[in-house]
Amino acid sequence: MTEPRTAIVTGAARGIGAAIALRLAEAGHRIAVVDLRVADTERTVDAIIAAGGEAIGLGADVANSDDVASAMVRVVDDLGAPTILVNNAGILRDSLIFKMSDDDWDSVIGVHLRGAFLMSRAVQAHQVAAGWGRIVNLSSTSALGNRGQANYAAAKAGIQGFTKTLAIELGRFNVTVNSIAPGFIATDMLRETAERIGMSFEDYLAGAASEIPVGRTGTPDDIAAAAAFFVSEEASFVSGQVLYVAGGPKA
């Protein structure tokens, strides 16, 4: 029987984050659904509550230390001390390096890396006090390099080093830290990418699927399943790992 705990999932208004929040709620955990605007969290929160779970929505910029501190107070007051954290919040500002602006770089690094740092630093205090914890960080196959994504690739590669370091530091407190590196997952974010390059979403997905060994693109539920494993008691001896969920092998 899974012991109900308080979990925070960032970037959980839609897509992968929403799927993870719903999956962890199904396992009995209380969920803090965090996204940039609280109004955007309502659909995920309502879905969790409709299924019999417990959830609150919070608006916070994870790259802002004041926002993170305020969110943490609210989580503790409303749901109890958080011992599960899924750092999923992310943005894209794709551009070739010669066209990439300072803001394109800083905003992506800020949300992905600074955001994961601020959230993890805040939550680890509760995990250490409880003598139990799970942190799951979202990386990407782009960490291996991807044209037009110098900022995103650097951030996602950084997430992997961050994950391994926290696993070393927090392991003695019974806290595991792992990373999921999704491949091509059909989300609204990629729908926007397809629109930007002038392709239909269907053609974009079909083109990607043709290059994936299992012959299909991924879904948010594929990533949620991996997150649920890392959070589980069965994964207590798995830490510092990067799991590529990409329909085929990655280096």
Side-chain angles (χ1 to χ4, degrees), residues 37-89:
R37 293 176 294 272
V38 67
D40 293 341
T41 69
E42 291 176 0
R43 183 168 60 177
T44 305
V45 170
D46 289 347
I48 291 171
I49 293 173
E54 184 176 357
I56 61 171
L58 298 171
D61 177 356
V62 296
N64 182 293
S65 57
D66 290 337
D67 278 13
V68 169
S70 296
M72 209 58 54
V73 170
R74 174 82 187 281
V75 172
V76 172
D77 287 347
D78 289 9
L79 298 177
T83 52
I84 297 171
L85 171 64
V86 180
N87 284 310
N88 169 73

Side-chain angles (χ1 to χ4, degrees), residues 184-225:
F184 197 102
I185 309 297
T187 64
D188 288 341
M189 184 178 286
L190 289 185
R191 184 183 296 275
E192 293 163 4
T193 299
E195 291 174 356
R196 188 172 64 251
I197 63 176
M199 291 183 67
S200 73
F201 191 45
E202 292 70 23
D203 287 345
Y204 192 50
L205 294 182
S210 68
E211 299 180 1
I212 297 172
V214 300
R216 70 170 177 89
T217 56
T219 69
D221 286 340
D222 291 321
I223 309 306

Side-chain angles (χ1 to χ4, degrees), residues 138-164:
L138 270 292
S139 180
S140 169
T141 55
S142 291
L144 302 172
N146 197 31
R147 178 179 171 83
Q149 289 193 319
N151 48 5
Y152 187 74
K156 290 309 192 181
I159 285 291
Q160 297 187 15
F162 179 69
T163 295
K164 293 177 182 294

